[in-house]
């Protein structure tokens, strides 16, 4: 059986990889050309998958599981001995957690890195296990309360931890390429949902999707969006991407290029959380956003008569002058609503109208049209 497994693992062996048997039932594999620690999860999963395939010896079908411990040079040891010792420790921990698992060695098992490491592993697993779902929050005309569009907000229901806030896992996903997989997942599910609503005979409205600049800059993003729209037969004008200023600032030119391509096919763009970051006027001018969303922190203080109120009024004035659609987000109270009506903010989003809701609820809203 060991021979069979070794034979299977040989397919991972290239001139940069060494495979060895280091104990009775212990194998070690050394990858000397990994670019980044992020490659480990995939690699570990691939190794486990190979090992777990059925093995037939004579007339017997055998199934084995494995536990993998990972150590990384020079972080977890400067020589082979130290690296093997630490990989071994991590492997034991993997065994404790449950067979068929992997663990990265970490000297700080109780620290933040350990938590975020678990969160990251959880995230990856969540995509496989279908633990994500999407809620939708309507944006309505301030005066008539007619639904104008809806925002898609991702949710994660973890089997042990319960509901994990996107504010906790999105930043982490952004650090790894998981944000791209997650983003693709959201785009696909939104298109699918729109198709379902359409098939139910509902008159659909545009959906806005929060997108990270990292995802926007992924090669082939535009084509991918186009393909997904085609696949579900959705007109591009039904999709709006919400981006934040801080996310575009680092790669302005690139982002602008991708945005222009998407606008050409009919997708629109909103600038999210306006007022919190740089709030640069030249960004407003150069990027030609269709929509400006005033951040909820301003709206929550809009009735305080202080500086925040002055800023909110100026943002509204500016957006009107630039011919942009303005949406106030996080509207909770009647006073806030009255203020926004008085200053002619055309659209609102917030608990006063509706919390983010499940697709069935949104279907009811779409039937009513006015909230
Ligand atoms: P955001 O884009 O600013 O989304 C608005 C947030 O405000 C949502 O929080 C929403 O539930 C919340 N909200 C809506 N109305 C009210 C209100 O009246 N009062 C208050 N206090 N809050 C309100 P949520 O869903 O926790 O999302 C947090 C952030 O996570 C989002 O902020 C967005 O930046 C990010 N996010 C959510 N879904 C996605 C996604 O699919 N992709 C990406 N890249 N980011 C996402
Ligand atoms: Ca948003
Ligand atoms: Ca926002």
């Amino acid at each position: 059986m060991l021979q069979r497994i070794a034979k299977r693992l040989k397919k991972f062996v290239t001139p940069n990889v060494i495979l060895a048997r280091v104990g009775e039932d212990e194998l070690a594999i050394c990858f000397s050309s990994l670019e980044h620690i992020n490659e480990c999860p995939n690699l570990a999963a691939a190794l486990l998958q190979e090992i777990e395939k059925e093995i037939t010896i004579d007339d017997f079908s055998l199934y084995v599981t494995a536990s993998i411990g990972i150590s990384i040079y020079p972080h977890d040891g400067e020589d082979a001995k130290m690296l093997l010792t630490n990989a071994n420790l991590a492997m034991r921990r993997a065994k404790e957690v449950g067979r068929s698992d992997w663990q990265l060695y970490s000297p700080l098992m109780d620290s933040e890195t350990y938590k975020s490491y678990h969160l990251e592993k959880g995230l990856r697993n969540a995509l496989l296990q279908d633990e994500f779902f999407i809620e939708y929050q309507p944006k309505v005309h301030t005066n008539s309360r007619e639904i104008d569009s809806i925002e898609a907000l991702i949710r994660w229901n973890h089997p042990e931890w319960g509901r994990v806030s996107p504010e906790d896992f999105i930043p982490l996903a952004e650090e790894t390429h998981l944000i791209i997989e997650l983003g693709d997942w959201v785009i696909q599910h939104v298109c699918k949902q729109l198709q379902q609503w359409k098939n139910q005979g509902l008159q659909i409205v545009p959906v806005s999707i929060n997108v990270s600049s990292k995802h926007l800059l992924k090669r082939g993003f535009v084509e991918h969006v186009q393909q997904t729209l085609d696949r579900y037969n959705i007109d591009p004008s039904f999709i709006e991407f919400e981006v934040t200023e801080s996310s575009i600032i680092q790669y302005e030119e690139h982002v602008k290029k991708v945005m222009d391509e998407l606008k050409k096919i009919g997708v629109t763009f909103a600038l999210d959380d306006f007022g919190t970051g740089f709030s640069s006027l030249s960004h407003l001018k150069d990027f030609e956003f269709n929509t400006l969303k005033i951040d909820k922190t301003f709206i929550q203080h809009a009735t305080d008569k202080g500086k925040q109120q002055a800023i909110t009024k100026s943002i509204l004035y500016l957006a009107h002058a630039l011919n942009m659609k303005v949406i106030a987000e996080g509207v909770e109270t009647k006073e806030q609503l009255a203020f926004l009506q008085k200053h002619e903010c055309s659209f609102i989003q917030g608990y006063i109208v509706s919390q983010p809701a499940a697709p069935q609820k949104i279907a009811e809203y779409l039937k009513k049209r006015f909230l």
Side-chain angles (χ1 to χ4, degrees):
M1 192 190 68
L2 282 170
Q3 284 174 353
R4 290 279 184 86
I5 289 173
K7 218 181 236 165
R8 281 185 190 170
L9 295 184
K10 265 193 176 165
K11 77 176 221 203
F12 292 91
V13 176
T14 64
N16 289 323
V17 177
I18 302 167
L19 174 66
R21 181 174 171 213
V22 291
E24 274 177 20
D25 59 354
E26 287 179 10
L27 299 170
I29 186 160
C30 168
F31 295 88
S32 52
S33 58
L34 280 196
E35 296 265 319
H36 196 274
I37 189 167
N38 290 344
E39 290 178 48
C40 291
N42 277 335
L43 203 51
L47 286 165
L48 284 174
Q49 202 186 11
E50 211 45 54
I51 294 168
E52 283 165 11
K53 281 185 196 157
E54 178 188 356
I55 302 171
T56 16
I57 293 171
D58 296 331
D59 284 327
F60 298 97
S61 290
L62 305 178
Y63 294 93
V64 290
T65 58
S67 303
I68 298 179
I70 303 170
S71 62
I72 294 166
Y73 171 88
H75 190 260
D76 306 327
E78 304 240 52
D79 56 34
K81 192 159 175 258
M82 203 61 208
L83 284 167
L84 277 171
T85 306
N86 285 339
N88 215 309
L89 274 174
M91 186 263 287
R92 268 178 223 178
R93 213 158 276 133
K95 259 190 195 166
E96 280 166 23
V97 177
R99 295 190 174 254
S100 247
D101 205 346
W102 58 273
Q103 291 278 318
L104 266 177
Y105 172 72
S106 166
L108 307 158
M109 283 300 195
D110 54 350
S111 73
E112 276 303 309
T113 41
Y114 185 62
K115 266 195 244 159
S116 66
Y117 154 69
H118 265 293
L119 201 55
E120 184 186 333
K121 218 175 134 190
L123 268 180
R124 181 167 289 285
N125 206 37
L127 267 168
L128 299 171
Q129 304 293 327
D130 245 2
E131 289 165 14
F132 292 111
F133 60 99
I134 299 174
E135 284 188 328
Y136 297 84
Q137 190 179 33
K139 298 176 258 178
V140 301
H141 289 263
T142 312
N143 293 324
S144 72
R145 298 282 189 111
E146 184 179 9
I147 300 179
D148 169 72
S149 50
I150 46 188
E151 178 174 3
L153 294 158
I154 192 164
R155 302 287 175 249
W156 179 13
N157 205 354
H158 189 281
E160 283 165 51
W161 311 332
R163 238 168 125 138
V164 186
S165 162
E167 312 224 43
D168 287 331
F169 69 82
I170 293 289
L172 188 75
E174 299 236 15
E175 283 171 29
T176 67
H177 69 272
L178 270 172
I179 191 68
I180 291 166
E181 283 174 54
L182 213 61
D184 282 341
W185 186 90
V186 173
I187 294 171
Q188 194 210 325
H189 280 76
V190 165
C191 290
K192 197 168 156 190
Q193 186 62 64
L194 276 168
Q195 188 189 46
Q196 277 175 11
W197 283 326
K198 245 169 54 176
N199 291 345
Q200 289 167 25
L202 296 163
Q203 200 181 333
I204 55 172
V205 294
V207 177
S208 59
I209 299 174
N210 295 285
V211 65
S212 129
S213 62
K214 197 166 176 182
H215 191 195
L216 215 64
L217 293 174
K218 169 98 203 296
R219 197 188 300 279
F221 180 74
V222 180
E223 293 75 14
H224 183 76
V225 171
Q226 178 79 70
Q227 278 165 11
T228 312
L229 287 164
D230 290 347
R231 179 170 163 204
Y232 294 99
N233 198 14
I234 302 298
D235 190 274
S237 64
F238 282 95
I239 297 294
E240 177 170 70
F241 286 120
E242 295 193 3
V243 295
T244 59
E245 211 176 4
S246 53
S247 81
I248 57 179
I249 210 132
Q250 220 179 339
Y251 310 98
E252 285 186 27
E253 268 172 50
H254 266 85
V255 171
K256 186 161 167 24
K257 213 176 126 226
V258 176
M259 276 177 62
D260 286 343
E261 282 176 44
L262 282 164
K263 280 188 212 157
K264 238 183 254 159
I265 65 172
V267 171
T268 59
F269 280 87
L271 184 55
D272 204 356
D273 302 344
F274 192 72
T276 54
F278 302 85
S279 311
S280 141
L281 301 183
S282 63
H283 284 151
L284 281 187
K285 178 170 69 65
D286 296 343
F287 283 84
E288 293 177 40
F289 287 97
N290 308 78
T291 310
L292 185 72
K293 298 189 79 176
I294 309 180
D295 190 69
K296 54 177 175 286
T297 53
F298 286 96
I299 305 308
Q300 263 134 35
H301 296 282
T303 44
D304 294 355
K305 293 225 158 66
K307 287 182 185 157
Q308 310 252 45
Q309 185 182 73
I311 295 173
T312 310
K313 281 188 204 166
S314 333
I315 297 177
L316 283 167
Y317 179 80
L318 187 71
H320 289 146
L322 291 171
N323 247 332
M324 293 169 86
K325 187 171 160 180
V326 215
I327 300 181
E329 56 175 31
V331 184
E332 293 178 358
T333 68
K334 285 188 181 144
E335 290 73 26
Q336 290 161 0
L337 177 64
F339 171 87
L340 292 162
Q341 272 169 327
K342 186 171 160 210
H343 294 93
E344 291 175 15
C345 177
S346 315
F347 302 92
I348 55 166
Q349 175 181 9
Y351 297 165
I352 195 168
V353 183
S354 167
Q355 300 236 349
Q360 299 85 316
K361 186 90 195 156
I362 298 296
E364 287 171 29
Y365 288 166
L366 289 174
K367 269 183 215 146
K368 285 203 293 190
R369 296 217 67 85
F370 293 86
L371 299 184

